[in-house]
């Protein structure tokens, strides 16, 4: 059973990694799908986000990181996957996530979404927050995987 965890990952954070690690215990194979995402204006381009996500997940054996554009439902169909994973940080996420899950189910009838609650320590975290701290020369080391911190430290010099 292959499940898909998709996101923009601009950049991947410890909150995302926490969801991926926990999903990797529950499911035999996780595809982490990095969206090209033309609706957001990412700090990192698509190839950089894929590379950073790959480096951050390299120690988790049953995870494969890929890039994609287009509809998530089409990606799921092409992998024969019937399950999407999404993290829920708190009640603010719920309406939007249910809407997304229902929409994806309309686009591909057999496609369902499993929600994992984020761990308490990461419930306030988002990629936007990481970028904000970085732009103001703050230290993001505690919020992101080492590969991301290394690149941000280099960029900031
Ligand atoms: N830890 C840390 N941050 C988390 C998190 C967690 N556990 N869970 C969610 N987030 C953050 C994300 O980093 C993101 O933060 P940001 O806005 O600061 O970048 C935010 O919560 C969620 O953003 P959202 O835009 O909802 O999701 P996403 O960027 O992670 O991914 C896609 C969205 C890629 C899954 C969605 O746009 C998609 O499926 N695109 C393909 C086109 C498609 O099929 N659309 C749906 C049908 S129209």
């Amino acid at each position: 059973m292959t499940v898909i965890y998709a996101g923009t990952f601009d950049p991947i954070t410890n909150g995302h990694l926490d969801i991926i690690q926990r999903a990797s215990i529950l499911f035999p194979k996780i595809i982490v799908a990095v969206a090209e995402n033309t609706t957001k204006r990412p700090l990192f381009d698509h190839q950089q986000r894929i590379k950073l996500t790959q480096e951050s997940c390299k120690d988790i054996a049953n995870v494969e990181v890929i890039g994609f554009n287009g509809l998530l439902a089409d990606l799921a169909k092409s992998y024969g996957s019937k399950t999407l994973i999404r993290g829920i940080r708190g009640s603010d996420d719920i309406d939007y996530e249910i809407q997304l899950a229902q929409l994806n189910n309309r686009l591909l009838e057999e496609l369902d979404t499993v929600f994992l609650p984020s761990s308490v320590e990461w419930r306030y975290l988002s990629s936007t927050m990481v970028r904000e701290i970085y732009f103001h020369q703050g230290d993001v080391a505690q919020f992101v995987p080492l590969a991301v911190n290394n690149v941000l430290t280099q960029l900031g010099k």
Side-chain angles (χ1 to χ4, degrees):
M1 181 195 197
T2 298
V3 302
I4 298 179
Y5 179 55
T8 309
F9 303 115
D10 183 41
I12 183 168
T13 69
N14 287 344
H16 296 126
L17 202 54
D18 168 61
I19 297 288
I20 295 166
Q21 275 161 341
R22 287 164 49 218
S24 76
I25 295 165
L26 295 172
F27 302 99
K29 169 98 194 210
I30 319 290
I31 303 277
V32 176
V34 181
E36 187 167 14
N37 210 333
T38 45
T39 57
K40 293 184 174 181
R41 287 185 54 230
L43 169 65
F44 292 105
D45 70 28
H46 195 206
Q47 288 309 316
Q48 287 173 313
R49 285 182 281 123
I50 295 169
K51 191 163 172 258
L52 286 176
T53 306
Q54 274 166 343
E55 284 173 15
S56 305
C57 295
K58 69 178 184 336
D59 294 331
I60 315 172
N62 55 340
V63 169
E64 182 187 349
V65 178
I66 60 158
F68 82 106
N69 50 36
L71 288 176
L72 187 51
D74 289 340
L75 181 80
K77 192 171 186 178
S78 71
Y79 274 86
S81 174
K82 296 182 166 72
T83 312
L84 303 175
I85 299 288
R86 293 289 285 172
I88 298 274
R89 289 165 297 176
S91 54
D92 283 356
D93 283 344
I94 287 176
D95 279 353
Y96 168 73
E97 291 298 340
I98 287 179
Q99 192 185 0
L100 201 61
Q102 289 167 336
L103 192 60
N104 279 318
N105 178 259
R106 286 301 289 242
L107 291 171
L108 183 62
E109 204 184 348
E110 67 266 29
L111 187 60
D112 231 317
T113 301
V114 172
F115 298 119
L116 289 182
S118 76
S119 296
V120 175
E121 57 189 316
W122 307 123
R123 67 162 291 168
Y124 55 84
L125 193 56
S126 71
S127 300
T128 301
M129 295 299 175
V130 168
R131 294 195 303 272
E132 178 81 2
I133 296 166
Y134 162 73
F135 281 132
H136 294 286
Q137 286 87 43
D139 184 1
V140 296
Q142 62 178 310
F143 305 120
V144 294
L146 190 61
V148 174
N149 190 49
N150 287 343
V151 169
L152 286 175
T153 306
Q154 283 302 318
L155 277 177
K157 280 181 183 164

